[in-house]
Amino acid sequence: MHTLTMPLLIMESSSVSFLCRSANKHKPWIETEYQGIVMENDNTVLLNPPLFALDKDAPLHYAGEICGFRVHNGPLGSGSVQFEAVVLDRSTGEGLVRSKEPLDCESQREHSFTIQAYDCGEGPDGVNSKKSHKATVHVRVNDVNEFSPVFVERRYEASVPEGRLFDRIVRVEALDADCSPQYSQICFYDIITPNVPFAIDNDGNIKNTEPLDSKRQRIHTFWVTAFDCGKNRAQADAQVVVTVKPSCKPGWIGWTKRVEYTPGSGSIPLFPSLHLETCEETVWNIQATVELQTGHIGKGCDRDSYSDRSVRRLCGAVRGEVDLLPPPSPAANWTSALPTLPSSDSSLVFSFNGSNHVAVVPDAVVSALSGDHFTLQLWMRRGGANIQPATTQTRGNRKEEETIVCSTVKNDDSFSHYSLSVHGCRLSLFYWPDVSAARPVKFLWKLEQVCDSEWHHLSLSVQFPSVTLYVDGVTFDPALIHDNGAIPNPAPRQRMFIGACWVKYIGGYHGLLSGVTVRPGSVEPHSVVECLYACREGLDFGDLETLGSGMKVHVNPSQSVLVLEGDDIESFNRAVQQVTYRNSLRFATPGVRPLKLTTSLRCFNEESCLSLKQLEGYLVVLQPDAPQISLSGVGPHLARPAPEFEGPRGVPLFPELRIVCSLSHAVNTAAQGMEGGGESHTLMSDAVAHTLDGCEVQPLGEELNPEREELLVDMDVVRERGLEIINTTAYIAITGAESISVYEDVLRSVRYRLAKGSARFERRFRLSCSEMNGRYTSNELTLEVNFLHSLDSLYHPSHLLASQQQFLHPSHHAGELSGHTLPNPHRNSVVPGAATVIIMVCVGFLVVMVILGVFRIRSIHRRGEGSRGGAKEGSNQWDDSALTIIVNPMESYESRMGISADTEGEGEEDEEVAESPDDASDDQRIIIKKEGRDSNARRY
């Protein structure tokens, strides 16, 4: 029995041990996701669903029991440190999640982590313990109303005009630091100051409940508070101050009707203190148009005051243009029948009436304009002398085209034809490369400048098939180019009309034209065209970088209209103050430029939108400091021997000429060192670099006699400098814009030449210069030229015979002696005529007789008083018997020039004779000889 029992017990214990080691077959199981809530003042997390871990090994001891939970980091790497999970019941697997430390909703409202359950294994030591999968736990921290509202500002200020009700005057705002919407939101505001005419809504908007009166109460002060949805009141109340302004009138404030501009100031702001008052009216678009009217200043605006030809030189334009409308003259008579109008810039303006006012250019001029490369330039103003309003012409009421220029020119072996015309607001160029073969091409431009009844400059450069149009220096591309199809060929005959065309389908031009030129060959560069015809004055914007967001600025090509557009009133006011007027001319044209400001507002409520009236003012360009052109370095007299004037090159008239240009301006200086102080005005003169555009040398009295005298100019110097010269018997005119030094060199080369044997005694010339197309002129420098003749020529028989003939037959030589008198006190010449010598001798004799009479009276007086000293010897008395007088013919001229007479010492010779005019000019004397008494001869 015992033997059998022991093995049996051993087998039972072995089987029990085997069963215990293999009992933990399953892993614990938990939910995959949990949602938890925890309050700020609590650490227990309420999970949904509740935390239970199940094990299929239950109800086995250890293997079916849950020994614990492990917390791992969440997806964001945080959460496990702040939370822990504990087992409440090992058999049921119930657990609890709690925070290790207090949680703050304001710092972190959401927490996420993972949790994992594990069983007790196969024994108390937890051998072969199994783990469940990881479940995600999301914990939200519930807020506690621990904070009170706080106002963003402690003081709110606003100003409103009186007499109106406003939906909102000012908005107050409070914030709550709680994290939940329940406690962080401000549920309502409240005005705690009683009896105020204001109300506040739940959003903090304060409005007035009755119209405010600034006379009754100018400033209203009251307090407001705020409550959150947990009914916590604000920690501190806010103060509101409302200022009541007098009744508001919408419009521009700070408008100055008169604006003054001093030439040379560059750019000046037109509206430095202007701002728009909308009286709290909400606008979403503002547009202001500033218009500067300069049409009456020259041709459309202030441009360079030089002539067109001088401006072309200054801008570097290519030469060779042909004037199609020159001033009427015997050489250019095709414009003599056209009516002309005055122009402020001294240019010639021709009027065309669309019918019989036509200029036919001669064939000799047209023949020089052949080729398909040319530049046509002109000034144009539609409408003629009686300008119609712009509204009547903008739509182009005329049915037919108006021809400006119509030309057919002969090329090498063919004829080309073109015509420039206007039709309403369209400009067209009709071009026919070959009238016998090619089809015509028409270029069209739609331009407001063609029909606005203002002056505009057109420059048309043709390099067929390329055509470029410049209007006031701005490029315009053709709007349309098309083939006109079958049109009757113009006759192959060379001719050119201005103001009309011989073609039947084109009518005559109605308007004003000036400066119509054609230059064959290469076209002008764009920079040259801009320099030639761009306005030197106009509207501008100060600094585009300061332009606010949403603002737009537009300026038209002529810079006479500037448009501002924006949506913010503050940015718009700043932009308006940046509008400037600029004038780059040193000597701007003075006068008044009308100024207009038109404003357009667009509001959300179009019915109550403001309407502002147009503002009108004027810009006054003051008179510039006039430049003073001073001519000097040339004496009033020039005396040279006559043979020098008779040389082949003559004598230079102005060899040391100096031209100085300066500006004079008044300067206030404080009087120093004097009682009472005070101010004085000193005229200061500053030398400046200028450009002259003309000088003229004119003989005074009678014109030059081309057979006996002439003025010579170094033509090489004139041509080298690109100047123009007109040399006539009445004057020499040198024109063209150039520097002062160039004009000095040219004028110093002006020489005067006489023909040999000319009976000329003196000649006077006048020199003057000008700039700015004659706007400023210099002083008139007068030069008197004296011709010195030798005494030998005076006593030559031929000269004596000529002098006798002058006296015997004065009528034959009246022309030669007209205007010639005895030398005046300022002359340096010797008058060589025999008649003049005789007159001088007579006058000298009369003077000597007067002197002798005076000395005789004095000698008698001395004899009456000589009793004490004894009578003098008779040899000391004057004896006028056999008296001989020799008169130096240089006496009259040199004595009046202030040359003192030198008295020679007594000589032993009885008689001295001047051997030459040069010797006579050195000593001026009267020689008196008494024959028979050498010891009594006296010389004065």
Side-chain angles (χ1 to χ4, degrees):
M1 293 290 295
H2 294 285
T3 307
L4 296 171
T5 306
M6 288 299 293
L8 197 62
L9 292 173
I10 294 173
M11 292 178 63
E12 290 179 358
S13 63
S14 300
S15 62
V16 171
S17 175
F18 175 77
L19 291 173
C20 291
R21 287 196 297 271
S22 60
N24 193 10
K25 298 180 179 179
H26 301 92
K27 296 188 296 182
W29 177 90
I30 59 176
E31 299 286 346
T32 59
E33 187 175 22
Y34 295 91
Q35 302 292 334
I37 298 175
V38 61
M39 302 298 295
E40 278 186 313
N41 55 1
D42 193 4
N43 64 347
T44 301
V45 179
L46 301 179
L47 293 180
N48 182 25
L51 181 59
F52 283 93
L54 303 178
D55 196 322
K56 291 184 178 181
D57 293 325
L60 294 178
H61 190 52
Y62 297 114
E65 296 177 348
I66 303 300
C67 279
F69 295 93
R70 289 190 180 92
V71 177
H72 302 278
N73 289 338
L76 300 178
S78 62
S80 63
V81 178
Q82 294 176 306
F83 294 90
E84 64 179 359
V86 297
V87 178
L88 299 180
D89 189 344
R90 295 175 63 176
S91 61
T92 61
E94 182 181 3
L96 175 66
V97 177
R98 62 190 176 187
S99 63
K100 297 179 181 180
E101 56 188 21
L103 300 177
D104 186 7
C105 177
E106 286 72 35
S107 61
Q108 185 174 352
R109 190 177 182 185
E110 300 284 344
H111 299 269
S112 295
F113 54 90
T114 60
I115 190 172
Q116 191 176 31
Y118 61 91
D119 58 18
C120 296
E122 297 179 353
D125 54 357
V127 178
N128 294 329
S129 175
K130 294 185 180 294
K131 303 175 186 178
S132 69
H133 62 273
K134 292 181 181 179
T136 304
V137 180
H138 300 283
V139 178
R140 185 178 75 249
V141 182
N142 276 0
D143 187 24
V144 176
N145 193 11
E146 56 185 329
F147 294 101
S148 298
V150 177
F151 280 98
V152 177
E153 303 286 344
R154 295 296 305 273
R155 179 186 174 93
Y156 293 88
E157 295 183 359
S159 59
V160 294
E162 63 181 355
R164 294 177 56 187
L165 290 175
F166 297 92
D167 294 335
R168 186 180 74 175
I169 296 177
V170 65
R171 181 178 182 271
V172 299
E173 184 181 8
L175 301 177
D176 195 305
D178 288 312
C179 66
S180 64
Q182 179 182 1
Y183 300 124
S184 64
Q185 290 184 355
I186 307 300
C187 278
F188 63 95
Y189 295 87
D190 189 20
I191 298 178
I192 60 177
T193 302
N195 302 324
V196 292
F198 298 95
I200 187 170
D201 59 15
N202 293 339
D203 294 327
N205 297 314
I206 298 176
K207 64 179 181 179
N208 57 327
T209 57
E210 61 183 44
L212 303 178
D213 188 354
S214 62
K215 296 179 181 178
R216 182 192 306 172
Q217 186 173 352
R218 179 70 183 275
I219 299 176
H220 294 266
T221 303
F222 53 93
W223 295 84
V224 297
T225 189
F227 294 88
D228 62 16
C229 294
K231 296 187 179 181
N232 276 359
R233 181 174 171 175
Q235 290 181 352
D237 300 327
Q239 186 185 37
V240 180
V241 179
V242 178
T243 302
V244 182
K245 299 185 299 183
S247 57
C248 174
K249 184 177 181 181
W252 289 102
I253 299 176
W255 171 262
T256 302
K257 189 172 184 179
R258 175 188 173 97
V259 181
E260 291 186 353
Y261 178 81
T262 302
S265 302
S267 297
I268 63 168
L270 292 176
F271 320 112
S273 59
L274 188 65
H275 66 278
L276 180 62
E277 176 61 59
T278 60
C279 297
E280 304 298 330
E281 182 69 33
T282 304
V283 297
W284 64 272
N285 182 267
I286 312 170
Q287 181 174 308
T289 302
V290 184
E291 181 181 358
L292 182 69
Q293 298 180 7
T294 58
H296 61 290
I297 305 297
K299 293 187 179 72
C301 63
D302 206 359
R303 292 181 169 91
D304 283 309
S305 301
Y306 298 105
S307 63
D308 288 345
R309 194 176 297 272
S310 297
V311 172
R312 291 185 60 83
R313 290 198 64 256
L314 293 175
C315 294
V318 182
R319 302 176 186 174
E321 71 276 2
V322 177
D323 194 353
L324 301 182
L325 290 179
S329 65
N333 59 358
W334 67 88
T335 60
S336 57
L338 297 176
T340 59
L341 298 176
S343 175
S344 57
D345 60 356
S346 72
S347 61
L348 202 58
V349 176
F350 294 90
S351 176
F352 294 83
N353 60 1
S355 57
N356 58 342
H357 292 167
V358 180
V360 181
V361 183
D363 292 343
V365 177
V366 180
S367 60
L369 305 177
S370 61
D372 56 357
H373 289 190
F374 61 91
T375 300
L376 174 64
Q377 300 181 3
L378 55 95
W379 287 98
M380 181 186 73
R381 182 181 183 182
R382 294 284 299 282
N386 298 323
I387 302 300
Q388 301 295 328
T391 56
T392 62
Q393 294 195 15
T394 54
R395 303 279 71 89
N397 294 331
R398 290 182 171 271
K399 295 182 179 180
E400 61 180 11
E401 292 185 343
E402 303 176 26
T403 302
I404 301 174
V405 178
C406 188
S407 172
T408 299
V409 295
K410 186 178 187 305
N411 300 322
D412 295 335
D413 53 357
S414 63
F415 287 87
S416 62
H417 171 83
Y418 72 87
S419 63
L420 182 67
S421 58
V422 290
H423 186 194
C425 291
R426 288 178 172 83
L427 179 75
S428 63
L429 175 68
F430 187 87
Y431 191 76
W432 211 311
D434 188 349
V435 298
S436 62
R439 296 164 65 91
V441 179
K442 196 169 188 178
F443 301 85
L444 290 176
W445 294 268
K446 186 176 181 181
L447 304 170
E448 292 295 330
Q449 293 89 335
V450 175
C451 54
D452 62 359
S453 300
E454 299 291 343
W455 277 108
H456 296 284
H457 182 269
L458 274 64
S459 178
L460 193 67
S461 299
V462 177
Q463 287 182 309
F464 191 79
S466 174
V467 176
T468 305
L469 174 67
Y470 298 94
V471 180
D472 298 329
V474 180
T475 310
F476 289 88
D477 295 326
L480 182 64
I481 304 175
H482 64 88
D483 189 341
N484 253 29
I487 292 181
N489 294 7
R493 173 187 170 190
Q494 183 170 270
R495 48 187 171 177
M496 176 179 286
F497 287 8
I498 309 295
C501 194
W502 60 88
V503 182
K504 294 182 180 179
Y505 53 84
I506 302 180
Y509 174 70
H510 184 267
L512 305 179
L513 293 178
S514 178
V516 182
T517 62
V518 172
R519 184 182 55 78
S522 60
V523 300
E524 301 282 8
H526 189 193
S527 58
V528 173
V529 177
E530 286 184 339
C531 174
L532 286 173
Y533 308 107
C535 290
R536 299 294 187 253
E537 68 171 342
L539 299 173
D540 202 355
F541 192 82
D543 188 4
L544 291 175
E545 294 182 358
T546 62
L547 196 64
S549 60
M551 290 295 303
K552 299 179 182 179
V553 179
H554 173 73
V555 184
N556 69 333
S558 62
Q559 294 187 309
S560 60
V561 177
L562 184 145
V563 180
L564 285 174
E565 186 175 358
D567 52 10
D568 180 67
I569 185 66
E570 296 299 331
S571 300
F572 195 86
N573 285 334
R574 288 193 298 268
V576 168
Q577 296 173 3
Q578 292 287 327
V579 177
T580 62
Y581 168 80
R582 60 146 191 90
N583 196 318
S584 60
L585 294 177
R586 177 183 294 176
F587 304 106
T589 304
V592 176
R593 278 83 162 161
L595 194 62
K596 294 182 180 181
L597 176 60
T598 306
T599 311
S600 174
L601 301 178
R602 302 185 68 180
C603 309
F604 290 102
N605 187 0
E606 295 293 342
E607 296 180 357
S608 61
C609 196
L610 302 175
S611 178
L612 303 181
K613 66 177 183 179
Q614 184 184 69
L615 297 180
E616 295 184 358
Y618 52 93
L619 173 74
V620 180
V621 177
L622 303 178
Q623 186 75 30
D625 295 329
Q628 298 176 355
I629 309 172
S630 175
L631 308 180
S632 61
V634 178
H637 303 278
L638 175 65
R640 292 287 188 276
E644 293 186 16
F645 290 94
E646 296 172 355
R649 293 182 54 83
V651 174
L653 295 180
F654 316 106
E656 299 179 357
L657 175 67
R658 291 185 66 249
I659 305 176
V660 177
C661 191
S662 60
L663 287 176
S664 298
H665 52 91
V667 178
N668 292 332
T669 57
Q672 300 178 355
M674 301 178 62
E675 294 185 3
E679 292 185 353
S680 61
H681 295 278
T682 303
L683 194 64
M684 302 296 292
S685 181
D686 301 329
V688 293
H690 274 258
T691 301
L692 301 180
D693 61 3
C695 288
E696 183 177 290
V697 180
Q698 179 183 7
L700 300 180
E702 61 184 7
E703 296 184 3
L704 297 177
N705 188 343
E707 298 179 357
R708 300 185 179 183
E709 54 186 339
E710 63 178 340
L711 286 174
L712 305 176
V713 182
D714 191 344
M715 296 303 299
D716 293 336
V717 176
V718 175
R719 283 191 294 266
E720 180 183 354
R721 299 299 185 178
L723 300 177
E724 298 181 358
I725 185 171
I726 300 176
N727 192 351
T728 67
T729 59
Y731 63 90
I732 284 184
I734 304 171
T735 58
E738 261 298 348
S739 63
I740 289 179
S741 60
V742 171
Y743 270 91
E744 285 180 339
D745 295 341
V746 174
L747 292 175
R748 287 170 184 170
S749 69
V750 176
R751 296 171 174 268
Y752 177 69
R753 190 173 71 87
L754 276 175
K756 292 185 179 181
S758 299
R760 171 68 60 184
F761 306 139
E762 58 87 20
R763 167 65 83 177
R764 300 176 66 201
F765 295 95
R766 181 173 61 201
L767 171 64
S768 63
C769 295
S770 65
E771 68 169 324
M772 298 291 177
N773 206 18
R775 181 175 171 185
Y776 301 108
T777 58
S778 69
N779 60 309
E780 292 185 350
L781 189 64
T782 302
L783 176 66
E784 183 175 296
V785 181
N786 303 118
F787 314 106
L788 304 181
H789 296 266
S790 64
L791 289 178
D792 293 339
S793 63
L794 294 177
Y795 296 103
H796 194 275
S798 63
H799 286 278
L800 293 177
L801 181 60
S803 64
Q804 293 176 2
Q805 292 176 353
Q806 288 177 359
F807 281 96
L808 294 177
H809 306 284
S811 60
H812 296 167
H813 304 279
E816 296 181 6
L817 295 178
S818 62
H820 301 284
T821 59
L822 291 178
N824 59 40
H826 300 289
R827 293 181 181 173
N828 293 328
S829 64
V830 175
V831 181
T836 306
V837 173
I838 295 174
I839 294 174
M840 291 173 63
V841 170
C842 295
V843 173
F845 180 78
L846 179 61
V847 173
V848 170
M849 294 303 296
V850 172
I851 294 174
L852 290 178
V854 172
F855 273 93
R856 196 160 186 96
I857 294 174
R858 298 177 96 180
S859 63
I860 295 175
H861 183 66
R862 289 195 189 98
R863 285 199 298 269
E865 295 179 352
S867 57
R868 277 186 288 175
K872 294 184 179 180
E873 293 296 329
S875 60
N876 294 332
Q877 297 179 358
W878 183 269
D879 187 2
D880 58 353
S881 62
L883 182 66
T884 302
I885 299 175
I886 300 176
V887 179
N888 186 353
M890 291 294 292
E891 172 199 4
S892 175
Y893 179 78
E894 293 185 352
S895 63
R896 298 188 184 189
M897 288 297 296
I899 304 175
S900 61
D902 298 329
T903 306
E904 290 187 359
E906 294 185 2
E908 295 183 0
E909 293 182 4
D910 296 337
E911 182 177 352
E912 290 186 3
V913 178
E915 297 182 0
S916 69
D918 294 335
D919 297 332
S921 63
D922 294 333
D923 292 326
Q924 177 181 353
R925 54 192 177 271
I926 301 176
I927 304 175
I928 306 174
K929 174 185 175 185
K930 184 176 180 182
E931 296 180 356
R933 297 182 181 182
D934 296 338
S935 61
N936 294 331
R938 297 182 180 181
R939 185 173 301 166
Y940 296 92

